[in-house]
Amino acid sequence: MPPLVSFCVSNHNYARYLAEVLDGLLAQTYSNTEIIVVDDGSTDDSREVLERYRDQIIVEYLDTARGQPEACNRAFTLSHGEIVVFHDSDDVLHPDAAARLVDAFAADDGVMVLSRLEDIDQDGRRTGGMRPPDGCPLWGGDLRALVLDHCAFFWTETTGQAFRRSFLEDVLPMPTSLAPDMYLSHLGALATPVIALQEPIGSYRVHGLNITMAPRRRGLPWLDNKIEEREILHQAMRVFGTQRGLFTDEDEARRWTPRDYIMASLRLTECRLAAKRARWRWGVRGIRSIIDHRQFSFAGRANHIAWFVGVTVLPAPLARRLIQARFPFSSSP
């Protein structure tokens, strides 16, 4: 029997896009699918939209907003599919997306498929952008060494990720303080070789309410939150890697410290904005982490190294400008 594909949609106040999202899922050329929507305490017209689809979807309403990770956790418990996609409620999948995912899993033993997404604006018009962006390769295959070494690789946003249920049963519920795409992509890359689809399976909507573009926190609280996220991710990878035998013993797991250029850039930013010491240590660590990161082109390495050097050595006002260019919401303590 063809595998069931579960589309688990988490929604919070995206009534404007919901009908387009659901119509796209209902129009899939692969018919053995189910659609689960968990509405995360929306206060707009989301309920009215969802009720129009009541006979075609599974829907549950949370009385208060609990965040995307918890909505995804709940949606998974309501699902039954062998293949699961956590679908953002503002993105749109192409009609053949489910069919392509089923074919990809059938041809490979991997637990995770990463697929490119093309950017659209709030009105659904293509912008020419791509996820991951141009210049960032979407790699497949065995990425365990890369991810363990750097705790950072180029993955796609939530809608561009698909998983075998057996894997999700091992790693869910996900931490409520981590973005689902970051948590699941890193553990998926440690579990088995990654299956990568280079042609887009859908569209990522770029608008003023994307959580990465309009975070709830600003300034140093935003920075503290981002550093905490990386620390939680490191710990999740340490636990998962130990369970999967990626470390030879517990002592090696405890000593494991990835050359995480994202953490280095956050710590360096913290040093400059909060006038803390150790900026040279984090600057050097960041440069070292970029030099041998295999997914960066020569130009990409040069740009990142220049940023680390500038933020480390320039006077505070100039360093702050470089920080603002990379982290626009971390510069107003």
Side-chain angles (χ1 to χ4, degrees):
M1 180 177 178
L4 176 66
V5 179
S6 297
F7 292 109
C8 295
V9 182
S10 59
N11 173 68
H12 178 70
N13 287 342
Y14 276 170
R16 174 178 179 180
Y17 307 118
L18 262 179
E20 184 179 0
V21 170
L22 296 176
D23 288 343
L25 294 179
L26 291 169
Q28 291 295 302
T29 58
Y30 182 84
S31 60
N32 196 23
T33 65
E34 65 175 2
I35 303 168
I36 300 98
V37 181
V38 172
D39 184 78
D40 187 29
S42 293
T43 56
D44 63 359
D45 295 331
S46 291
R47 185 182 290 259
E48 295 178 15
V49 176
L50 291 171
E51 286 303 311
R52 298 203 301 265
Y53 292 85
R54 168 66 77 169
D55 295 338
Q56 299 168 285
I57 66 175
I58 301 168
V59 61
E60 181 169 288
Y61 300 100
L62 303 182
D63 293 336
T64 58
R66 304 176 191 176
Q68 184 187 17
E70 192 156 342
C72 289
N73 287 333
R74 179 55 185 161
F76 179 71
T77 65
L78 298 172
S79 71
H80 304 88
E82 180 183 333
I83 297 170
V84 179
V85 177
F86 293 107
H87 193 302
D88 287 336
S89 57
D90 52 348
D91 299 338
V92 182
L93 284 179
H94 297 337
D96 64 346
R100 292 178 60 198
L101 292 173
V102 169
D103 288 344
F105 277 117
D108 197 289
D109 293 332
V111 302
M112 178 176 70
V113 174
L114 296 182
S115 309
R116 286 192 181 276
L117 300 171
E118 55 188 353
D119 285 350
I120 56 175
D121 65 16
Q122 61 183 3
D123 297 317
R125 295 183 296 257
R126 293 179 181 176
T127 67
M130 195 71 70
R131 304 282 158 159
D134 292 338
C136 297
L138 180 61
W139 280 8
D142 189 349
L143 304 184
R144 286 173 294 183
L146 173 69
V147 177
L148 278 178
D149 284 348
H150 294 279
C151 190
F153 72 113
F154 299 144
W155 69 92
T156 51
E157 280 76 1
T158 311
T159 307
Q161 302 179 359
F163 305 93
R164 292 192 191 273
R165 186 174 201 87
S166 56
F167 164 73
L168 294 176
E169 288 173 342
D170 286 342
V171 300
L172 295 184
M174 69 184 76
T176 57
S177 55
L178 286 183
D181 59 341
M182 180 168 65
Y183 174 73
L184 293 175
S185 64
H186 282 71
L187 298 193
L190 294 182
T192 60
V194 174
I195 309 166
L197 299 182
Q198 300 300 335
E199 291 299 317
I201 67 165
S203 301
Y204 177 85
R205 196 181 304 270
V206 180
H207 53 82
L209 296 178
N210 295 91
I211 190 168
T212 54
M213 300 177 67
R216 295 185 180 93
R217 301 180 183 180
R218 293 175 181 267
L220 292 179
W222 176 91
L223 193 59
D224 292 340
N225 182 64
K226 288 299 179 184
I227 291 172
E228 181 184 10
E229 284 182 355
R230 299 306 295 183
E231 291 173 340
I232 293 172
L233 179 61
H234 288 184
Q235 178 59 19
M237 291 175 59
R238 181 180 289 108
V239 171
F240 188 78
T242 300
Q243 294 171 344
R244 293 287 175 135
L246 300 180
F247 300 109
T248 57
D249 53 44
E250 292 184 3
D251 287 338
E252 182 183 359
R254 278 195 295 269
R255 292 194 304 270
W256 172 73
T257 302
R259 292 168 288 176
D260 185 351
Y261 76 92
I262 298 176
M263 175 66 93
S265 64
L266 293 169
R267 287 294 191 183
L268 178 58
T269 296
E270 180 186 42
C271 290
R272 297 314 312 258
L273 294 182
K276 291 186 176 182
R277 297 180 179 180
R279 75 186 193 198
W280 287 96
R281 175 163 64 93
W282 288 110
V284 171
R285 184 175 296 186
I287 292 170
R288 286 178 174 174
S289 69
I290 288 295
I291 286 175
D292 64 350
H293 196 299
R294 302 192 305 278
Q295 278 190 309
F296 281 104
S297 64
F298 176 81
R301 286 192 182 93
N303 288 335
H304 277 79
I305 290 172
W307 186 89
F308 276 108
V309 171
V311 175
T312 302
V313 306
L314 290 174
L318 295 178
R320 185 181 291 268
R321 290 186 181 182
L322 288 177
I323 291 169
Q324 286 178 316
R326 182 168 185 183
F327 300 127
F329 299 104
S330 68
S331 57
S332 301

